[in-house]
């Protein structure tokens, strides 16, 4: 049995909030779809997240998520355990993986940042695959 997770995030912008970029951006939506032997099982994970910051207009135009909609949603730390329990140690399939992973690293606690190092080594980046196929 080969388990993989198709994974995606939506964010408030392009650079994550870190100690070096205190005005950086945050994750506002996370979704994962479980595949077993490349077939969707129907098992999935989805969460909207309150970023505790304004969402710039240019970002709202991309994903349609507003401050008003997200204001009563949980913050990342409240969903983090459930998210990482769902991910387990399964390889992730992500379009533009570096983008999503850098946001996950910025938001996650130390234990899960270490787990992301392991997940990173098995992640399949469909953007890199597409660029190799169609340079």
């Amino acid at each position: 049995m080969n388990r993989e997770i198709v994974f995606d995030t939506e964010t408030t912008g392009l650079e994550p909030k870190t100690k070096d970029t205190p005005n950086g951006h945050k994750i506002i939506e996370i979704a994962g779809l479980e595949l077993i032997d490349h077939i969707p099982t129907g098992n999935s994970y989805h969460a909207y997240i309150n970023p505790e910051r304004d969402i710039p207009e240019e970002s709202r135009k991309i994903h349609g998520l507003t401050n008003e909609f997200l204001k009563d949603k949980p913050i990342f730390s409240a969903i983090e355990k459930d998210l990482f329990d769902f991910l387990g140690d399964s390889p992730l399939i992500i379009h533009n993986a570096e983008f999503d992973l850098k946001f996950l690293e910025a938001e996650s606690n130390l234990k899960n940042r270490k787990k992301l190092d392991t997940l990173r080594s098995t992640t399949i980046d469909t953007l890199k695959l597409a660029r190799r196929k169609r340079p």
Side-chain angles (χ1 to χ4, degrees):
M1 178 177 81
N2 180 30
R3 182 179 189 260
E4 299 165 306
I5 304 295
V6 178
F7 185 81
D8 191 30
T9 65
E10 296 297 339
T11 65
T12 62
L14 299 177
E15 288 301 321
K17 180 178 181 175
T18 66
K19 65 179 180 174
D20 297 329
T21 56
N23 294 323
H25 293 276
K26 308 276 295 250
I27 296 172
I28 54 178
E29 184 177 15
I30 292 180
L33 174 69
E34 179 185 67
L35 306 177
I36 301 290
D37 297 328
H38 309 297
I39 299 171
T41 65
N43 190 17
S44 64
Y45 179 87
H46 179 262
Y48 290 112
I49 301 162
N50 181 341
E52 300 182 297
R53 61 152 291 150
D54 285 338
I55 302 170
E57 179 64 26
E58 56 271 16
S59 295
R60 283 195 304 271
K61 288 178 181 177
I62 293 168
H63 48 60
L65 298 172
T66 65
N67 292 313
E68 183 66 24
F69 176 75
L70 296 170
K71 72 180 181 183
D72 65 343
K73 305 302 186 254
I75 61 174
F76 184 85
S77 62
I79 63 96
E80 185 173 6
K81 181 182 181 324
D82 288 342
L83 169 64
F84 280 91
D85 286 349
F86 174 77
L87 296 178
D89 59 1
S90 298
L92 304 178
I93 301 170
I94 307 173
H95 192 75
N96 196 7
E98 191 56 40
F99 180 85
D100 289 346
L101 293 174
K102 76 179 177 180
F103 272 89
L104 272 179
E105 287 169 355
E107 299 257 15
S108 297
N109 67 37
L110 182 59
K111 178 184 84 172
N112 288 326
R113 280 196 301 270
K114 289 180 180 178
K115 183 175 184 177
L116 278 169
D117 287 342
T118 302
L119 288 173
R120 184 182 288 278
S121 69
T122 61
T123 294
I124 298 164
D125 187 340
T126 59
L127 179 60
K128 287 181 180 177
L129 293 173
R131 286 183 175 157
R132 274 190 293 207
K133 189 79 171 167
R134 302 274 184 218

